[in-house]
């Protein structure tokens, strides 16, 4: 499983694979209520880019999404030059293989393609070190989301 690709999830089957990974990681593993895991920003017409990591055999390994424009406004303080990275999830069997790093870089590439200057995210506190290694800087106080501690972070592109 060391060989994988990250691509924009444009086809309906790719988007379904993204949602399946999110269900396995967030709903099943982390026990996030399903009704708060999926939102209107998952709709195809939202200002959203979903990315998908897929193994050479087609097995979905991980996913993440980028919000931009009006979809990101609530998360970025209304700054249209900042995108919002979220819903980053890697299946348990694929962790430690570089999938998460590749997904973050894929989301940053999508942000650059849309002319964004920075990417914000809300990191679970246990994942702060992962994002710091990728150049993200925490700001503001810790807050709860889905019952878990989070911090806001930003990386200038």
């Amino acid at each position: 499983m060391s060989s994988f690709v990250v691509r924009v999830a444009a086809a309906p089957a790719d988007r379904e694979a993204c949602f399946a990974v999110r269900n396995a990681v967030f709903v099943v593993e982390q026990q996030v209520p399903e009704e708060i895991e999926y939102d209107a920003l998952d709709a195809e017409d939202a200002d959203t880019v979903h990315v998908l990591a897929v193994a050479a055999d087609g097995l979905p390994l991980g996913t993440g999404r980028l919000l931009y424009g009006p979809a990101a406004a609530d998360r970025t303080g209304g700054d249209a030059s900042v995108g919002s990275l979220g819903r980053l999830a890697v299946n348990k069997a694929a962790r430690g293989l570089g999938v998460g790093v590749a997904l973050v870089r894929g989301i940053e590439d999508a942000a650059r393609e849309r002319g964004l200057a920075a990417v914000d995210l809300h990191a679970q506190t246990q994942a702060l070190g992962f994002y710091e290694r990728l150049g993200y800087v925490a700001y503001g106080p810790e807050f709860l989301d889905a019952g878990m501690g989070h911090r806001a972070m930003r990386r200038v592109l």
Side-chain angles (χ1 to χ4, degrees), residues 60-87:
L61 303 177
T63 188
R65 75 178 184 187
L66 170 71
L67 306 178
Y68 60 95
D74 287 346
R75 291 168 174 81
T76 63
D79 186 342
S81 71
V82 179
S84 178
L85 183 158
R87 303 305 203 267

Side-chain angles (χ1 to χ4, degrees), residues 9 12 17 22 27 29 45-46 49-50 58 60-61 64 66 72 78 94-95 101 103 107 114 122 131-132 140 146 151:
R22 285 172 46 188
V27 177
E29 186 180 331
D45 59 350
V49 177
H50 294 268
L61 303 177
L66 170 71
R95 293 181 192 152
V101 172
L103 286 165
I107 290 168
R114 284 155 183 79
H122 293 164
Y131 290 110
E132 287 169 342
R151 290 280 309 277

